[in-house]
Amino acid sequence: MALVEIENLSVEFPTQGGIMRAVDGVSLKLEEGEVLGVVGESGSGKSVTMLALMGLIPFPGRVRADKLAFNGRDLLTISDKDRRKLTGKDVAMIFQEPTTSLNPSFTVGFQLTETLRLHEGMDRKAAERRAVELLGQVGIPSPESRLSAYPHQLSGGMNQRVMIAMAIACNPKLLIADEPTTALDVTIQAQILDLLISLQKERNMGLVMITHNMGVVADTAQRVMVMYAGQIMEERSAADLFASPQHPYTAALLAALPERSEGGRLATIPGVVPGLYDRPKGCLFSPRCAYATEHSRTVRPALKPWAGGHIRCHYPLGDPNRSAAINHDHPVGTEAAS
Amino acid sequence: MAAPPFSVLAMLRFILTRVSLIIPTFIGITLLAFFLIRLVPGDPIETLAGERGIDPVRHEQLRKEYGFDKPIIVQYGIYLARVLQGDLGKSMITQEPVLNEFSALFPATIELALCAILFALILGLPAGIIAAIRRNSIFDHGVMGISLAGYSMPIFWWGLILILLFSVQFDLTPVSGRIDVLYYIEPITGFLLIDTLLSDEPEAFWSAVRHLILPTIVLGTVPLAVIARMTRSAMLEVLGEDYIRTAKAKGLSRFRVVALHALRNALIPVVTVIGLQIGVLFTGAILTETIFSWPGVGKWLIDAIFRRDYPVLQGGALLLGVVVMSVNLLVDLAYGLINPRIRHTR
Amino acid sequence: MTTETMEAPAVASPTATPPHPLREFWGYFSANHGAVAGLVIIVAVVLLALLADVIAPHDPNITNTTIALKPPFWQEGGSIAYPLGTDPIGRDILSRLIYGAQLSLLIGIVVVAISIAVGTVLGLVAGFFRGLTEIFIMRLMDIILTLPSLLLAIVIVAVLGPGLMNAMLAVALVILPHYVRLARAAVITETSKDYVTAARVSGAGTTRLMFREVLPNCTAPLIVQASLGISTAILDAAALGFLGLGAQPPSPEWGTMLADAREFVLRAWWVVTFPGLAILITVLAFNLLGDGLRDAFDPKLKR
Ligand SMILES: Nc1ncnc2c1ncn2[C@@H]1O[C@H](COP(=O)(O)OP(=O)(O)O)[C@@H](O)[C@H]1O
Ligand code: SF4
Ligand SMILES: [Mg+2]
């Protein structure tokens, strides 16, 4: 039994201008102890996907799925009460902005022990002892004295460590890290990533590492899921995906990596992620894709099994008949939608 | 061990800074009082002394006393020195020192104001919180509609309407005063609700309560509306914060998320607003006391205007201004106490 | 593993385009039923005020003691000739209310106009010249804000002498700080932007800059504040009238009407009910409008 099973998940937000579909037909399986990287540009629905798994989609968002299960529990029909026993205990999440993610009016100690007392039923004394232990484990110096500190008195990196300590407090089976280093100084980023990886190994937790940086997943994830405009574009083992990307979008993301750039120039993908008003009819990436054809502009490709994973493209890069198929379907040049 | 995050020194510095910030305000208020009284038509010395038709000898003596022969800045200095010693002149009518009259009447105003703010809090906080949680529900729209009406209420009319309904129509509440005339209550604290309990006439307490009901509602209406609106918007803002998402991600109960994690932060702006409402409250007290013949400082000030009792007007307004300023300072300090971010910066 | 459908998302059709700003503004505004109701009421009150001579059934000041304290028409003893009844000296209440609308609107507009004119100039000066000028102006505004507004107005009127003119001046002074703060904040944000620096470098005079470049950028908050200011002005002026410090009898100002009617509260409910209701409805309408405008100008803040 997989730890996480998601089938055909959609999340929609009604807005003034119409219904915003932030996540569109996402399916995903995650085994115990597996590390999954989720990448994609900002606004591609990475966070919303994982918030849906956590049951944290804010009103008036709507979640629909054929299946949404964690550790064998059906999350679509679970009661609020049972769900709260899972969240924060068996599945935990840390966020992009550590400083605003901690409550400014309570001490670090209070916020940390709160979780322990709720899920583990510890008394104040025991929870405080455990909190000190946890702060030590996440590499916070002189943890005893930090218990009485307020979040605004700690640096961003320290706060993220506190968030991590809070997340692992009840030995979760799954930890979701939503861009855990994006808001931090470059020097701190590596430390936090190392900490997450070592904690994952030690405890054999499932780990979902959300990031918009391909480099981050390269050396951490076993499997990578590439998202674009709410859809999965490619989902394969990390080794395969980095060695031979099959989707033009993945290839473009990889080309944008500093160490892969040619001639010292950083490649960027022209154009932006489509929003509410400019969502293409066909392939969502077609306005920015170098290989788009009339066919991809009018017919949305399905997510199909490919090269040991899944891909959503009419013309996978590794397809031997690719050129013929593209030529047959009238290529339309490379101009990007403005 | 690192320095304790809560240091007495930082606290002291915070308090001193805040206290020093009100000095210019105090000087401003005294300047205003000083100059305004000089704009009153007629002989300024008679106005200031609170005596009419003074004989020339006394007039000359007073001239010296107030420093009218000296530059205006010296006159202001004399005035300020007097104010600081608690000398605010004496009433033209009663010849009583203004400060004494004020102190005798002020408890009645405070009693009314406290009841009103309590009334506003008890209804306004829960209404605002529930409206925020049930955003866009009928309850939410109802609370917001009613509070906008309350906010737009001409309270002098509201008082008359309540009298019309409760006193005239149903004969439930008295129309004026603090207590039935048949009771004589020895003023101990000045608060009738307490003094009646200390007296040997238990029915007097209920009489005081019945007299308080309508004025409390009238004076509490605008603060109630403001508190409900403010609580709602503060809660809505806080409920969208990252740390609320964190609290939910920890698996905390809905009640704990709202009542602890959200409310604690939402109260910060609400406390500020309540503080600002204290000023509005004293304004409202002037109208409320006039309608219900409530023997407080508000009615006293209005009476002074019609009796052309300028020393009372000058001193009373100054005292009220100082009271409001001090309350604002206290609110500011309380704000620092409940908001650690404020306490540690500055 | 996935059952993938090819249909495009329900609403996000490729032809949808973002709406024009003005349309969007009206969209937000008209979606707010309260704001629209406020606007409708204001238009109605303005029409009543403008057409008072035509609409009012009687002269607002003609007294006739033989018909004193007639109840409204639906009550026993009332007559349709005096729909809302008559006051203690036989004046038609409806007619007085209609003429009172003229006064109330006039008060609101004049007070806010004075306040905006003086306030923006002070604010612009404070924002442009900074330094001591700014400290002095802003400190003064802080003091005015600290003092309870009606108390300040009462003291000023008490000194200047009761009357509508002085009451309006006092109220204008009391609401002044809002406009000063707004204008100053606008100047400070605008002057930090490049185009103002550029205009300065290219030799545009300060006065020109103030009025041509900066002022248009704070019109939105000024309009909102003006709407809310009118409601405060009407309310405070009525309160002064009620205390006998504002418009003097026999003026049909609504607050003054209430002051006259006070002693009849036990005998004739209509003489106190209608003037206050008129104040409440008008003030409420301006507040609704102000709230609606604010939300429509800044949809992000809308909650
Ligand atoms: N509460 C919300 N209301 C409306 N739209 C939202 C909300 N949350 C997210 N979205 C939209 O969903 C899309 C995906 O967001 P997100 O998952 O945060 O992207 P990312 O991949 O950067 O994490 C974005 O376009 C965002 O605007
Ligand atoms: S379907 Fe066509 S447009 Fe879309 S990614 Fe593949 S090649 Fe590009
Ligand atoms: Mg995100």
Side-chain angles (χ1 to χ4, degrees):
Chain A
M1 179 189 59
L3 185 61
V4 175
E5 284 177 276
I6 300 177
E7 271 173 40
N8 201 16
L9 170 75
S10 296
V11 181
E12 291 175 342
F13 293 101
T15 69
Q16 206 81 29
I19 291 175
M20 167 81 206
R21 186 172 287 188
V23 176
D24 189 1
V26 163
S27 298
L28 165 71
K29 261 201 173 85
L30 191 76
E31 302 298 331
E32 260 178 65
E34 195 180 3
V35 181
L36 172 76
V38 180
V39 289
E41 287 162 282
S42 186
S44 41
K46 308 179 297 287
S47 303
V48 174
T49 305
M50 291 305 149
L51 288 173
L53 177 63
M54 293 286 294
L56 293 179
I57 294 297
F59 182 82
R62 282 194 301 257
V63 178
R64 268 180 302 171
D66 294 344
K67 182 164 191 183
L68 190 65
F70 176 80
N71 205 18
R73 301 284 299 266
D74 180 5
L75 298 180
L76 291 171
T77 55
I78 197 170
S79 72
D80 276 0
K81 208 169 157 221
D82 289 343
R83 161 142 235 157
R84 281 200 296 269
K85 286 190 189 140
L86 283 181
T87 34
K89 183 172 193 308
D90 291 332
V91 44
M93 187 159 178
I94 61 174
F95 304 96
Q96 182 172 339
E97 291 282 349
T99 306
T100 56
S101 293
L102 288 165
N103 195 320
S105 293
F106 296 105
T107 61
V108 163
F110 176 87
Q111 298 186 58
L112 194 45
T113 51
E114 189 178 30
T115 316
L116 291 163
R117 297 175 70 174
L118 172 73
H119 290 297
E120 309 285 334
M122 293 183 180
D123 61 21
R124 209 170 68 94
K125 275 264 142 52
E128 272 177 9
R129 270 199 306 276
R130 177 94 178 99
V132 171
E133 243 173 74
L134 284 163
L135 289 179
Q137 279 175 30
V138 297
I140 289 182
S142 59
E144 301 83 11
S145 68
R146 299 294 174 192
L147 285 185
S148 56
Y150 286 92
H152 69 269
Q153 295 172 304
L154 302 179
S155 67
M158 281 296 156
N159 278 331
Q160 195 60 298
R161 286 176 198 270
V162 171
M163 283 296 291
I164 294 173
M166 235 157 74
I168 61 168
C170 306
N171 297 311
K173 294 192 169 63
L174 174 65
L175 174 63
I176 301 170
D178 188 352
E179 311 211 17
T181 60
T182 309
L184 303 179
D185 287 348
V186 189
T187 46
I188 313 292
Q189 292 189 355
Q191 294 175 16
I192 296 288
L193 285 177
D194 288 347
L195 172 65
L196 282 172
I197 295 302
S198 72
L199 286 170
Q200 185 274 329
K201 291 220 172 78
E202 249 166 55
R203 293 156 181 252
N204 195 32
M205 292 185 295
L207 176 63
V208 173
M209 179 76 82
I210 303 180
T211 170
H212 59 244
N213 184 348
M214 274 282 188
V216 168
V217 286
D219 27 51
T220 54
Q222 291 149 14
R223 220 145 45 86
V224 179
M225 176 166 111
V226 179
M227 289 192 71
Y228 184 77
Q231 295 185 331
I232 297 179
M233 290 291 147
E234 179 165 2
E235 176 264 298
R236 292 165 69 218
S237 85
D240 288 353
L241 184 130
F242 280 93
S244 63
Q246 291 299 309
H247 195 286
Y249 181 57
T250 317
L253 286 177
L254 286 175
L257 278 180
E259 62 266 27
R260 294 203 180 201
S261 64
E262 285 146 33
R265 269 188 61 226
L266 207 64
T268 50
I269 316 172
V272 290
V273 184
L276 182 54
Y277 297 110
D278 51 3
R279 214 167 155 90
K281 185 157 158 269
C283 171
L284 294 178
F285 189 53
S286 59
R288 304 169 68 188
C289 182
Y291 313 110
T293 63
E294 247 347 279
H295 182 58
S296 29
R297 289 203 166 177
T298 44
V299 180
R300 176 96 35 103
L303 189 67
K304 62 188 176 195
W306 183 264
H310 292 85
I311 177 174
R312 192 193 287 273
C313 174
H314 294 306
Y315 319 108
L317 294 176
D319 186 352
N321 302 324
R322 182 161 178 271
S323 319
I326 291 181
N327 278 332
H328 174 264
D329 291 341
H330 314 297
V332 286
T334 58
E335 79 275 22
S338 54
Chain B
M1 200 168 141
F6 179 90
S7 103
V8 178
L9 220 70
M11 199 68 209
L12 213 68
R13 229 184 60 194
F14 168 75
I15 294 178
L16 281 179
T17 328
R18 290 303 149 116
V19 171
S20 68
L21 277 178
I22 66 163
I23 294 173
T25 312
F26 176 74
I27 294 183
I29 299 177
T30 50
L31 269 175
L32 227 59
F34 173 78
F35 278 113
L36 275 178
I37 203 81
R38 279 165 173 71
L39 292 177
V40 172
D43 179 36
I45 292 172
E46 291 193 352
T47 310
L48 284 170
E51 294 165 38
R52 293 202 177 98
I54 309 176
D55 66 86
V57 183
R58 171 109 176 100
H59 195 277
E60 194 48 39
Q61 181 198 342
L62 284 170
R63 235 180 98 79
K64 286 246 165 57
E65 204 176 308
Y66 289 112
F68 267 78
D69 45 356
K70 303 200 183 74
I72 194 93
I73 183 87
V74 178
Q75 293 178 32
Y76 171 68
I78 294 173
Y79 171 67
L80 194 61
R82 287 184 160 213
V83 166
L84 289 176
Q85 287 161 23
D87 176 7
L88 295 160
K90 52 187 197 321
S91 159
M92 283 185 174
I93 311 292
T94 62
Q95 299 299 320
E96 279 282 314
V98 171
L99 189 61
N100 291 6
E101 292 204 338
F102 183 88
S103 335
L105 297 171
F106 196 45
T109 303
I110 295 188
E111 185 170 44
L112 176 56
L114 281 181
C115 287
I117 203 84
L118 221 63
F119 163 80
L121 277 174
I122 288 172
L123 289 180
L125 277 179
I129 294 169
I130 296 172
I133 297 171
R134 303 234 187 113
R135 181 181 174 184
N136 283 334
S137 67
I138 295 179
F139 182 86
D140 183 19
H141 291 307
V143 167
M144 284 305 97
I146 292 172
S147 64
L148 196 65
Y151 183 71
S152 312
M153 189 63 82
I155 64 166
F156 42 97
W157 172 72
W158 184 223
L160 296 178
I161 291 298
L162 288 179
I163 289 176
L164 204 60
L165 279 178
F166 290 96
S167 308
V168 179
Q169 207 72 355
F170 302 115
D171 199 20
L172 290 175
T173 48
V175 179
S176 70
R178 285 179 86 188
I179 194 161
D180 283 347
V181 282
L182 51 110
Y183 300 109
Y184 174 74
I185 303 299
E186 191 68 43
I188 302 167
T189 60
F191 297 117
L192 268 187
L193 287 185
I194 298 172
D195 289 350
T196 48
L197 285 180
L198 296 177
S199 77
D200 44 4
E201 292 182 274
E203 315 87 64
F205 174 74
W206 294 111
S207 171
V209 169
R210 284 183 343 119
H211 279 80
L212 251 172
I213 293 174
L214 288 191
T216 297
I217 296 176
V218 169
L219 189 52
T221 296
V222 174
L224 167 61
V226 174
I227 288 172
R229 275 163 74 90
M230 192 62 209
T231 306
R232 174 181 179 271
S233 77
M235 277 302 278
L236 280 179
E237 175 146 2
V238 167
L239 286 173
E241 295 284 351
D242 287 349
Y243 52 79
I244 295 302
R245 190 181 55 192
T246 307
K248 287 179 185 159
K250 282 157 94 172
L252 302 179
S253 68
R254 240 179 104 69
F255 180 78
R256 197 175 165 93
V257 171
V258 170
L260 193 71
H261 285 260
L263 192 58
R264 177 66 185 265
N265 290 286
L267 278 183
I268 294 169
V270 172
V271 165
T272 317
V273 164
I274 294 169
L276 294 177
Q277 281 305 301
I278 309 270
V280 179
L281 217 56
F282 283 115
T283 304
I286 297 175
L287 292 167
T288 312
E289 290 180 2
T290 307
I291 301 165
F292 292 99
S293 306
W294 189 266
V297 290
K299 185 170 178 304
W300 173 63
L301 270 185
I302 294 297
D303 290 345
I305 292 175
F306 289 105
R307 292 173 187 154
R308 304 198 179 282
D309 194 345
Y310 290 108
V312 166
L313 182 65
Q314 182 194 31
L318 177 70
L319 283 169
L320 265 188
V322 169
V323 167
V324 171
M325 189 183 77
S326 315
V327 173
N328 286 348
L329 174 69
L330 287 179
V331 171
D332 214 15
L333 292 176
Y335 185 71
L337 287 181
I338 60 171
N339 185 353
R341 274 173 299 188
I342 294 284
R343 194 196 314 147
H344 292 296
T345 51
R346 260 172 176 257
Chain C
M1 174 174 156
T2 26
T3 47
E4 183 54 33
T5 52
M6 292 224 185
E7 48 153 15
V11 197
S13 70
T15 49
T17 48
H20 185 268
L22 250 172
R23 264 201 103 87
E24 197 184 1
F25 173 82
W26 179 248
Y28 278 116
F29 185 83
S30 58
N32 183 342
H33 299 309
V36 175
L39 186 63
V40 170
I41 294 171
I42 291 169
V43 170
V45 175
V46 169
L47 286 179
L48 276 182
L50 289 178
L51 304 175
D53 291 335
V54 185
I55 297 175
H58 302 274
D59 184 305
N61 292 322
I62 283 197
T63 62
N64 179 355
T65 37
T66 59
I67 51 157
L69 289 181
K70 249 176 150 17
F73 70 91
W74 62 84
Q75 268 199 348
E76 177 126 17
S79 98
I80 198 74
Y82 303 94
L84 297 182
T86 58
D87 72 3
I89 47 176
R91 293 172 296 195
D92 177 42
I93 289 182
L94 179 65
S95 305
R96 289 181 67 73
L97 288 180
I98 293 173
Y99 279 94
Q102 279 183 343
L103 272 176
S104 281
L105 287 179
L106 189 78
I107 290 168
I109 291 163
V110 169
V111 164
V112 169
I114 296 177
S115 237
I116 286 189
V118 178
T120 43
V121 169
L122 283 178
L124 291 177
V125 166
F128 263 106
F129 296 113
R130 310 304 288 264
L132 233 78
T133 326
E134 181 187 29
I135 294 176
F136 179 76
I137 294 177
M138 297 323 287
R139 250 349 257 164
L140 197 67
M141 293 305 126
D142 284 350
I143 293 168
I144 297 181
L145 270 186
T146 308
L147 293 171
S149 65
L150 191 63
L151 174 66
L152 189 57
I154 286 173
V155 172
I156 293 170
V157 175
V159 171
L160 299 181
L164 186 54
M165 217 36 230
N166 290 341
M168 293 202 311
L169 278 179
V171 177
L173 183 80
V174 164
I175 62 171
L176 188 63
H178 298 289
Y179 303 100
V180 178
R181 286 185 161 189
L182 259 177
R184 172 178 162 273
V187 175
I188 288 173
T189 33
E190 292 303 320
T191 42
S192 64
K193 289 183 186 160
D194 289 341
Y195 75 92
V196 174
T197 322
R200 258 199 177 154
V201 170
S202 74
T206 305
T207 327
R208 209 190 107 96
L209 259 178
M210 288 202 289
F211 289 98
R212 293 289 288 274
E213 310 286 341
V214 175
L215 211 49
N217 279 300
C218 58
T219 32
L222 271 182
I223 290 174
V224 172
Q225 194 60 52
S227 180
L228 300 175
I230 291 179
S231 74
T232 313
I234 295 178
L235 203 52
D236 280 2
L240 289 174
F242 177 76
L243 289 173
L245 298 172
Q248 298 296 307
S251 161
E253 197 273 322
W254 294 335
T256 313
M257 281 173 75
L258 268 176
D260 290 349
R262 248 185 87 187
E263 53 189 299
F264 296 94
V265 61
L266 302 181
R267 283 199 279 148
W269 61 269
W270 57 93
V271 291
V272 289
T273 304
F274 296 121
L277 214 50
I279 300 173
L280 174 61
I281 290 171
T282 313
V283 171
L284 183 60
F286 277 104
N287 279 332
L288 282 169
L289 179 72
D291 278 7
L293 286 174
R294 185 182 47 212
D295 291 348
F297 276 127
D298 200 350
K300 281 173 299 249
L301 285 181
K302 189 177 176 179
R303 298 219 124 91

